[in-house]
Amino acid sequence: MTDLTSSPAAPAEPVHWVLTLSCPDRAGIVHAVAGLLAEHGGNITESQQFGDPETHLFFMRVQVEAAVAREELTEALTALAAQFSMTWHLDVVGRPVRTLVLVSTAAHCLHDLLFRQRSEDLPIDVVGVAGNHRDLEPLAEFYGKTFHHIPVTKDTKADAEARLLALVEELDVELVVLARYMQILSDDLCRKLEGRIINIHHSFLPSFKGAKPYHQAHSRGVKLIGATSHYVTGDLDEGPIIEQDVERVDHSRSTDAMVALGQDVERRVLARAVRWHAEHRVLLNGHRTVIFR
Amino acid sequence: MTDLTSSPAAPAEPVHWVLTLSCPDRAGIVHAVAGLLAEHGGNITESQQFGDPETHLFFMRVQVEAAVAREELTEALTALAAQFSMTWHLDVVGRPVRTLVLVSTAAHCLHDLLFRQRSEDLPIDVVGVAGNHRDLEPLAEFYGKTFHHIPVTKDTKADAEARLLALVEELDVELVVLARYMQILSDDLCRKLEGRIINIHHSFLPSFKGAKPYHQAHSRGVKLIGATSHYVTGDLDEGPIIEQDVERVDHSRSTDAMVALGQDVERRVLARAVRWHAEHRVLLNGHRTVIFR
Amino acid sequence: MTDLTSSPAAPAEPVHWVLTLSCPDRAGIVHAVAGLLAEHGGNITESQQFGDPETHLFFMRVQVEAAVAREELTEALTALAAQFSMTWHLDVVGRPVRTLVLVSTAAHCLHDLLFRQRSEDLPIDVVGVAGNHRDLEPLAEFYGKTFHHIPVTKDTKADAEARLLALVEELDVELVVLARYMQILSDDLCRKLEGRIINIHHSFLPSFKGAKPYHQAHSRGVKLIGATSHYVTGDLDEGPIIEQDVERVDHSRSTDAMVALGQDVERRVLARAVRWHAEHRVLLNGHRTVIFR
Amino acid sequence: MTDLTSSPAAPAEPVHWVLTLSCPDRAGIVHAVAGLLAEHGGNITESQQFGDPETHLFFMRVQVEAAVAREELTEALTALAAQFSMTWHLDVVGRPVRTLVLVSTAAHCLHDLLFRQRSEDLPIDVVGVAGNHRDLEPLAEFYGKTFHHIPVTKDTKADAEARLLALVEELDVELVVLARYMQILSDDLCRKLEGRIINIHHSFLPSFKGAKPYHQAHSRGVKLIGATSHYVTGDLDEGPIIEQDVERVDHSRSTDAMVALGQDVERRVLARAVRWHAEHRVLLNGHRTVIFR
């Protein structure tokens, strides 16, 4: 397997590292982490932490400039992690996360991600676009992305998922984004991609779960519609929420007008969720998320 | 019964009327209404309408200055209404709506309504405050309002509701506001006050119906909390929505912090709903509302 | 000149018309307009009006379904307009407005307009894109739009503006959109295109007029950045405002990060302004606007 | 002088401290601070930091639970501060800040602060209300606050300011809040209260500085109005901004309606600014602020 996050063994230049960790809360964690980083000549540029009084878990994200080799830092962190029962991840600030985008026919989310990647330094590298329809192939190609057509029928669903998984491995995919991909994934696939697959749901969850949320919203007469980006789990529309936002509607909006307006919220919410994930700002706290913005 | 909306029989001065109506949609309604108003020397100052393509109902709100007696206008409207199968309401712009506020122990909504009535020309006249606890009596009295203590237990619920209804009649109450009144009203009472009783629910409905919505929201890990003001019907938390709004929360917010933050949204949303109702800007369209802002 | 807004002389099918008008306020306008429309068999589907108590001007926008020929309606309106000193405009609901987009190097606004035109029924027909740089030529061509390269230097400015005006005439352009076009137009050009040229300014006007508004915003330490879409007049950044919106920033945002974040607000605000203009929802009230949403 | 922030000399119970500091940025600050806190048995519960790449200043806020005497902690911090050229402040989490509120005749901000203090744990202790008019005396008294009537005329301004300063000293006031106090303070008073006097300005600064901002906003035809809370300096309306927010308006809003709507934004913005200041979340970075929310 390619080492996606490699950096020079003995850096002459300082590297800007980002470290995220979580562990059972207790005294001395910050001091221990800051100490470890200081020992390796690190200068902390950004740091956030949160101790959850309910779960008694502690979460931390720290950016540090240090002229230290990855192996050396990894070794030190491994030792510390053992001591504090830490889950941790080390990466380089700004490294683009290798991303596969799954689509059906709606263009707005794919379009937005590709545009933001190019123009706004969204730190992802879209290594491929896969669709169960061919509608968005030209759009993908305009941005120089390979389009993989993987049709899905009831009978071919297992095959299609196998092809998706194969793609994830071939392309060293770190993040899968469901950009209005209108297929329900199997529990098995959800489990295999756990923590690295993000969906955009076109409602303000937990309202209007399931199909046709804008129809539901219109019928209930709500005054705000919304969108929710969340990690995908086997439990449909119940995964940990990363981001949500809303838009005002009034009585004169038809369902179709809500759908059109909602596209704006959907793409904005998805783009934020993908950015925060790719910047290692999202940590899992059970079925909720800690977001260090 | 007192005529709450009386105006001089033969006004020397023009009166600023507000007329709301709804009826099956068909050609010529606007022309007929505008014609009727023109015949009585009316000058339209504000007018809005909406034809619902789904229910085929037509809604209209018009403000008109006219030096015409109420009786004369009423007679003309009655004739027109028969022709178009209209439901209609005529009132004077800015006339304070006689309002009874029901409370329990939480002060923020009552406080806000009383303050806005005094300082911001919220067009209501709070003719009384009734509470199942005495906590808010001093607040009511500071604003010169009579406080009615109507305790409720499982055994006295029917009696308490009878007292409430009696109060509504004695005080010629036009609007009842549940300002975080923590009692579920009987179907019977809901029916009797239909269309003139407004509640504030402390969640973004239809999410988190029922009890302890902030606990539910915290547990689900949502990124926005909200509040919903709606007409009360026998179907709990399912009445027609008048207004909703949200506030951003993050992972560090405890349930208690959400409750505190939510108070701000609740009072804002309730105040808007009460204002729009009192300004005759809310029309019922089945179990949804048309809001002419 | 092509008649951009022609419709069948004797429609068998009803046409959905949109009529906007303004005139000195006085009694009877609504009745007269509704009467005229009723005489021609019109069914009003949407109608809004506003009487400005300060300028004593009256504004109205009405959508009406009527199986009437344009000539007949025009004749009737011309007569009415003379009577009430009206300025008026008649069009067909949803007819795409012929639009020329001017750009420099920043892609986000052009990108957004082209995408919305295609996917969200933004009722414009982009008949050409003109840029003083060639950077956005591929983007324009991906959407099938002809790109006109009109370089501008101090010496060639007059020539460049002449070419722009020629393009406006050749292409029967109804609306010019400055989509982050980084050139100041001459007074003369502004006058010639008055009321049909829209700009997006990257600040919450009147704050931070002129150059580098994000630098100014960062330096002042504001907590919200914004964008403003307005009609262009000879008076730089002082034209009538159509729409504004803001986004929250905090101390950690560098100027560059503000620029990136601001792109989102800019494109959203510009898209709304263009939509409302193209739907004939914007009426001029001196140097302010009336927006019938 | 009373020690406002005293805590037991030898606490048996741990105290929840909040430490804020700023200093020139360099490697090792976080480690040094975390080390100092760990040496005194501290458990960090919340910590945020920011290094400004432009000013090369470093800012930190840390909450720590520690069973340590104030004197001991103060001594250690004094030594550390010398080493890093730190400005620092140590306090107890949640300790109410002794606050004097200055008012004229508008009630909404005073009303909101007093209500929030009581109901939402806004961590201030309003030790007095001073007004140049008597209008708000009953409101202050309802909340059990002493009202000081300090009339101001052109001739008595110096005397009035002397009385205010005397009050600040007598009452050990830590924070002065200008809750729509319609007097311009002298440079001298601004300097004496620097960093501990907060104003609410009724516009989205830097737009509409000076008098009658809503009139200016109405006349310019803006689509959003706002409010700005800032520290007061001798340079009118130019002090460091703490918080801003906006509210949407449309063409139908008169100036008076904007004033009424603006009250809502003003009180919300002021309440947030006061809360953040009182929770020691606001640090000065030249004429800008760092807000650790």
Side-chain angles (χ1 to χ4, degrees):
Chain A
M1 183 186 154
T2 315
D3 181 355
L4 297 165
T5 57
S6 64
S7 59
E13 293 291 307
V15 173
H16 200 179
W17 302 99
V18 52
L19 169 69
T20 50
L21 60 89
S22 64
C23 61
D25 202 356
R26 57 182 249 207
I29 305 171
V30 177
H31 181 53
V33 172
L36 183 153
L37 297 175
E39 272 166 36
H40 294 86
N43 183 28
I44 293 176
T45 60
E46 195 178 318
S47 163
Q48 284 160 297
Q49 55 179 86
F50 171 62
D52 187 334
E54 289 173 36
T55 62
H56 303 292
L57 291 176
F58 176 88
F59 302 86
M60 188 172 187
R61 180 187 187 275
V62 55
Q63 292 188 183
V64 61
E65 286 181 331
V68 61
R70 171 180 288 275
E71 291 69 29
E72 190 185 326
L73 206 48
T74 296
E75 200 175 314
L77 285 166
T78 306
L80 191 77
Q83 190 185 339
F84 285 90
S85 310
M86 274 177 193
T87 304
W88 61 281
H89 179 79
L90 181 69
D91 216 315
V92 173
V93 170
R95 183 186 65 82
V97 168
R98 294 176 67 84
T99 302
L100 178 68
V101 183
L102 301 196
V103 297
S104 291
T105 58
H108 57 288
C109 287
L110 174 63
H111 185 261
D112 201 60
L113 291 172
L114 292 175
F115 181 74
R116 287 182 198 268
Q117 174 192 350
R118 199 166 69 179
S119 72
E120 282 177 33
D121 306 321
L122 183 65
I124 59 171
D125 178 9
V126 175
V127 295
V129 176
N132 58 335
H133 298 281
R134 284 198 177 277
D135 302 47
L136 304 185
E137 189 163 9
L139 178 60
E141 286 176 352
F142 174 69
Y143 282 94
K145 305 302 180 189
T146 306
F147 184 87
H148 307 267
H149 183 216
I150 305 182
V152 183
T153 66
K154 226 189 326 185
D155 296 339
T156 65
K157 182 163 174 173
D159 285 357
E161 290 202 345
R163 283 189 62 194
L164 279 176
L165 263 183
L167 213 53
V168 165
E169 290 192 14
E170 273 163 41
L171 300 173
D172 280 330
V173 168
E174 299 172 89
L175 173 66
V176 175
V177 176
L178 306 186
R180 297 299 309 275
Y181 180 65
M182 306 301 281
Q183 297 292 320
I184 296 175
L185 304 183
S186 71
D187 277 16
D188 187 49
L189 188 62
C190 292
R191 248 191 313 276
K192 279 182 180 138
L193 296 174
E194 196 183 327
R196 48 189 182 127
I197 177 164
I198 292 177
N199 184 42
I200 178 72
H201 185 80
H202 40 317
S203 89
F204 187 77
L205 289 175
S207 287
F208 313 130
K209 285 192 251 189
K212 294 194 173 287
Y214 291 119
H215 288 78
Q216 294 181 57
H218 187 262
S219 153
R220 180 63 186 90
V222 293
K223 299 302 183 186
L224 299 168
I225 56 168
T228 304
S229 190
H230 61 91
Y231 287 113
V232 175
T233 63
D235 204 355
L236 193 66
D237 299 339
E238 290 287 353
I241 293 172
I242 305 171
E243 172 62 346
Q244 304 185 287
D245 212 342
V246 293
E247 196 80 26
R248 191 159 283 274
V249 291
D250 69 21
H251 58 267
S252 71
R253 291 266 175 187
S254 65
T255 304
D256 284 352
M258 281 188 178
V259 169
L261 185 67
Q263 290 197 354
D264 231 46
V265 198
E266 292 167 30
R267 63 188 191 173
R268 215 159 65 223
V269 166
L270 180 59
R272 280 189 215 135
V274 168
R275 175 181 298 281
W276 297 339
H277 177 91
E279 292 178 352
H280 310 282
R281 298 186 179 280
V282 189
L283 284 81
L284 277 173
N285 181 14
H287 61 290
R288 292 180 293 156
T289 58
V290 171
I291 314 275
F292 288 131
R293 289 202 280 165
Chain B
M1 184 186 152
T2 314
D3 182 355
L4 296 163
T5 56
S6 64
S7 58
E13 292 293 305
V15 174
H16 201 179
W17 302 98
V18 51
L19 169 68
T20 52
L21 59 89
S22 64
C23 61
D25 202 357
R26 59 181 246 207
I29 305 170
V30 177
H31 183 229
V33 173
L36 183 154
L37 297 175
E39 272 165 38
H40 294 85
N43 184 28
I44 294 177
T45 60
E46 196 179 319
S47 163
Q48 284 158 299
Q49 53 178 87
F50 170 63
D52 188 333
E54 290 173 36
T55 61
H56 303 292
L57 291 175
F58 175 88
F59 302 87
M60 189 171 184
R61 177 186 189 276
V62 53
Q63 293 189 184
V64 60
E65 284 180 333
V68 59
R70 170 180 290 275
E71 291 68 29
E72 189 185 327
L73 206 48
T74 296
E75 199 175 317
L77 285 165
T78 304
L80 191 76
Q83 188 186 340
F84 286 90
S85 310
M86 274 177 193
T87 305
W88 61 281
H89 180 78
L90 180 70
D91 216 315
V92 173
V93 170
R95 184 187 64 84
V97 168
R98 294 177 66 84
T99 302
L100 177 69
V101 184
L102 302 196
V103 298
S104 290
T105 59
H108 56 287
C109 286
L110 174 62
H111 185 262
D112 200 60
L113 291 172
L114 293 175
F115 181 74
R116 286 182 198 269
Q117 174 191 349
R118 198 166 69 178
S119 71
E120 282 176 34
D121 305 322
L122 182 64
I124 59 171
D125 178 9
V126 177
V127 295
V129 177
N132 58 334
H133 297 280
R134 285 198 176 276
D135 301 49
L136 303 186
E137 188 162 11
L139 179 60
E141 286 175 350
F142 174 68
Y143 282 94
K145 306 300 177 189
T146 306
F147 184 88
H148 306 267
H149 183 215
I150 306 182
V152 183
T153 66
K154 225 187 331 184
D155 296 338
T156 64
K157 183 164 173 170
D159 285 357
E161 291 202 347
R163 284 190 59 196
L164 279 176
L165 263 184
L167 212 51
V168 166
E169 289 192 15
E170 273 163 42
L171 300 172
D172 279 329
V173 168
E174 300 172 89
L175 173 66
V176 175
V177 177
L178 307 186
R180 299 298 309 277
Y181 180 65
M182 305 303 280
Q183 297 292 320
I184 296 174
L185 304 183
S186 71
D187 276 14
D188 187 49
L189 188 61
C190 292
R191 247 191 314 274
K192 279 180 180 138
L193 297 174
E194 198 184 326
R196 48 190 183 126
I197 175 163
I198 292 178
N199 183 42
I200 177 74
H201 185 80
H202 40 319
S203 88
F204 186 76
L205 288 175
S207 286
F208 312 130
K209 285 189 252 190
K212 293 194 173 288
Y214 291 118
H215 288 78
Q216 295 182 55
H218 187 262
S219 154
R220 181 62 186 92
V222 294
K223 299 302 182 188
L224 299 168
I225 56 169
T228 303
S229 190
H230 61 92
Y231 288 113
V232 175
T233 63
D235 204 354
L236 192 66
D237 298 339
E238 291 286 351
I241 293 172
I242 305 171
E243 171 63 344
Q244 304 187 285
D245 212 342
V246 293
E247 195 80 27
R248 191 159 282 274
V249 292
D250 69 20
H251 58 267
S252 70
R253 291 266 175 185
S254 66
T255 304
D256 284 353
M258 281 187 180
V259 169
L261 185 67
Q263 291 196 353
D264 232 46
V265 198
E266 292 165 29
R267 62 188 191 173
R268 216 158 65 222
V269 167
L270 180 59
R272 278 189 217 135
V274 168
R275 174 181 298 281
W276 298 338
H277 176 92
E279 292 179 352
H280 310 284
R281 298 185 180 280
V282 189
L283 283 80
L284 276 174
N285 182 13
H287 61 290
R288 292 180 294 158
T289 59
V290 170
I291 314 275
F292 288 130
R293 289 202 279 164
Chain C
M1 185 186 153
T2 315
D3 181 356
L4 297 164
T5 56
S6 64
S7 59
E13 294 291 305
V15 174
H16 200 178
W17 303 98
V18 51
L19 169 68
T20 51
L21 60 90
S22 64
C23 61
D25 203 356
R26 58 181 248 203
I29 306 171
V30 177
H31 181 54
V33 173
L36 183 155
L37 297 175
E39 273 166 36
H40 293 86
N43 185 26
I44 293 177
T45 61
E46 194 178 320
S47 163
Q48 285 160 297
Q49 55 179 88
F50 171 62
D52 187 334
E54 289 173 37
T55 61
H56 304 292
L57 291 175
F58 176 87
F59 303 86
M60 187 172 189
R61 179 188 187 274
V62 55
Q63 293 188 183
V64 61
E65 285 180 331
V68 60
R70 170 181 290 275
E71 290 69 29
E72 190 186 327
L73 206 49
T74 295
E75 202 175 315
L77 285 165
T78 304
L80 191 77
Q83 190 186 340
F84 285 90
S85 310
M86 275 178 192
T87 303
W88 61 280
H89 180 81
L90 180 70
D91 216 316
V92 173
V93 170
R95 183 186 66 82
V97 169
R98 295 177 66 83
T99 302
L100 176 70
V101 183
L102 301 198
V103 298
S104 290
T105 58
H108 57 288
C109 287
L110 174 62
H111 185 262
D112 200 60
L113 290 173
L114 292 175
F115 181 75
R116 287 182 198 268
Q117 174 191 349
R118 200 167 69 179
S119 71
E120 281 175 36
D121 305 322
L122 182 64
I124 59 171
D125 178 8
V126 176
V127 294
V129 176
N132 58 332
H133 297 280
R134 284 200 176 277
D135 302 48
L136 303 185
E137 188 162 11
L139 178 60
E141 285 175 353
F142 175 69
Y143 282 94
K145 305 302 179 189
T146 306
F147 184 88
H148 306 268
H149 182 215
I150 306 183
V152 183
T153 65
K154 223 183 339 180
D155 297 339
T156 65
K157 182 162 173 174
D159 284 356
E161 292 202 345
R163 285 190 60 193
L164 281 176
L165 263 184
L167 213 52
V168 165
E169 290 192 13
E170 274 163 42
L171 300 172
D172 280 329
V173 167
E174 299 172 271
L175 173 65
V176 175
V177 176
L178 307 186
R180 296 300 310 275
Y181 180 64
M182 306 301 280
Q183 297 291 321
I184 295 175
L185 304 183
S186 70
D187 277 16
D188 186 50
L189 188 62
C190 292
R191 248 190 313 274
K192 280 179 180 140
L193 297 173
E194 197 182 327
R196 46 186 185 130
I197 176 162
I198 292 178
N199 183 44
I200 178 72
H201 185 80
H202 40 316
S203 89
F204 186 77
L205 288 176
S207 287
F208 312 130
K209 285 191 253 190
K212 295 192 172 289
Y214 291 119
H215 287 79
Q216 295 181 56
H218 186 263
S219 154
R220 181 62 186 90
V222 292
K223 299 303 182 185
L224 300 168
I225 56 170
T228 303
S229 190
H230 60 92
Y231 287 113
V232 175
T233 62
D235 204 354
L236 192 66
D237 299 338
E238 290 286 354
I241 293 172
I242 305 171
E243 172 62 345
Q244 303 186 286
D245 212 342
V246 293
E247 196 78 26
R248 191 159 282 275
V249 293
D250 69 19
H251 59 267
S252 72
R253 291 267 174 185
S254 66
T255 304
D256 284 352
M258 281 188 180
V259 169
L261 185 67
Q263 291 197 352
D264 234 45
V265 198
E266 292 166 29
R267 62 188 191 174
R268 215 158 66 224
V269 167
L270 180 59
R272 278 189 216 135
V274 168
R275 174 180 299 281
W276 297 339
H277 176 91
E279 293 178 353
H280 310 284
R281 297 185 180 281
V282 188
L283 283 80
L284 277 174
N285 183 12
H287 61 289
R288 293 180 293 157
T289 59
V290 170
I291 314 275
F292 288 130
R293 289 204 278 165
Chain D
M1 183 186 153
T2 316
D3 182 356
L4 298 164
T5 56
S6 64
S7 59
E13 293 291 306
V15 174
H16 200 177
W17 303 99
V18 50
L19 170 67
T20 50
L21 59 90
S22 63
C23 61
D25 202 357
R26 58 182 248 204
I29 306 172
V30 176
H31 183 229
V33 173
L36 182 154
L37 297 175
E39 272 166 36
H40 294 86
N43 184 26
I44 293 177
T45 60
E46 194 179 321
S47 162
Q48 285 159 296
Q49 53 178 91
F50 171 61
D52 187 334
E54 288 173 37
T55 60
H56 304 290
L57 291 175
F58 176 88
F59 303 86
M60 189 170 185
R61 179 186 187 277
V62 54
Q63 292 189 184
V64 61
E65 286 180 331
V68 58
R70 170 181 290 275
E71 291 70 27
E72 190 186 325
L73 206 48
T74 296
E75 200 175 317
L77 284 166
T78 304
L80 191 77
Q83 191 185 337
F84 285 89
S85 311
M86 274 176 192
T87 304
W88 61 280
H89 180 80
L90 180 70
D91 217 314
V92 173
V93 170
R95 183 187 66 82
V97 169
R98 296 176 66 85
T99 301
L100 176 70
V101 184
L102 302 197
V103 298
S104 291
T105 58
H108 57 288
C109 286
L110 173 63
H111 184 263
D112 200 60
L113 290 171
L114 293 174
F115 181 74
R116 286 181 197 269
Q117 174 191 349
R118 199 166 70 178
S119 71
E120 283 176 33
D121 306 320
L122 182 64
I124 58 171
D125 177 9
V126 176
V127 295
V129 176
N132 58 333
H133 298 279
R134 284 199 177 277
D135 301 48
L136 304 185
E137 188 162 11
L139 179 59
E141 284 175 354
F142 174 69
Y143 281 94
K145 306 302 179 188
T146 307
F147 184 87
H148 306 267
H149 183 214
I150 306 183
V152 182
T153 65
K154 221 183 339 180
D155 296 339
T156 64
K157 182 163 172 172
D159 284 358
E161 291 203 347
R163 283 190 61 194
L164 280 175
L165 263 183
L167 211 53
V168 166
E169 288 192 15
E170 274 163 40
L171 301 172
D172 280 328
V173 168
E174 298 172 272
L175 173 66
V176 175
V177 176
L178 307 186
R180 299 300 310 276
Y181 180 65
M182 306 302 280
Q183 296 292 320
I184 296 175
L185 304 183
S186 70
D187 277 15
D188 186 50
L189 187 62
C190 292
R191 247 191 314 276
K192 277 180 181 141
L193 296 174
E194 196 182 328
R196 47 187 184 128
I197 175 164
I198 291 178
N199 183 42
I200 178 72
H201 184 81
H202 41 318
S203 89
F204 186 75
L205 289 175
S207 286
F208 311 130
K209 286 190 254 190
K212 296 194 171 287
Y214 291 118
H215 287 78
Q216 295 182 56
H218 187 263
S219 154
R220 181 63 186 91
V222 293
K223 299 303 181 185
L224 300 167
I225 56 168
T228 303
S229 190
H230 61 92
Y231 287 114
V232 175
T233 62
D235 203 355
L236 191 68
D237 298 338
E238 290 286 353
I241 293 171
I242 304 171
E243 172 63 342
Q244 303 186 286
D245 212 342
V246 293
E247 196 78 28
R248 192 160 281 275
V249 292
D250 69 20
H251 58 267
S252 70
R253 291 267 175 186
S254 65
T255 303
D256 283 354
M258 282 188 178
V259 169
L261 185 67
Q263 291 196 352
D264 231 45
V265 199
E266 291 166 30
R267 63 188 191 174
R268 215 159 68 224
V269 166
L270 180 60
R272 281 190 214 133
V274 167
R275 173 179 299 281
W276 297 339
H277 176 92
E279 292 179 353
H280 309 285
R281 298 184 179 280
V282 189
L283 285 81
L284 276 174
N285 181 14
H287 61 290
R288 292 181 293 158
T289 58
V290 171
I291 314 277
F292 288 130
R293 289 202 280 164

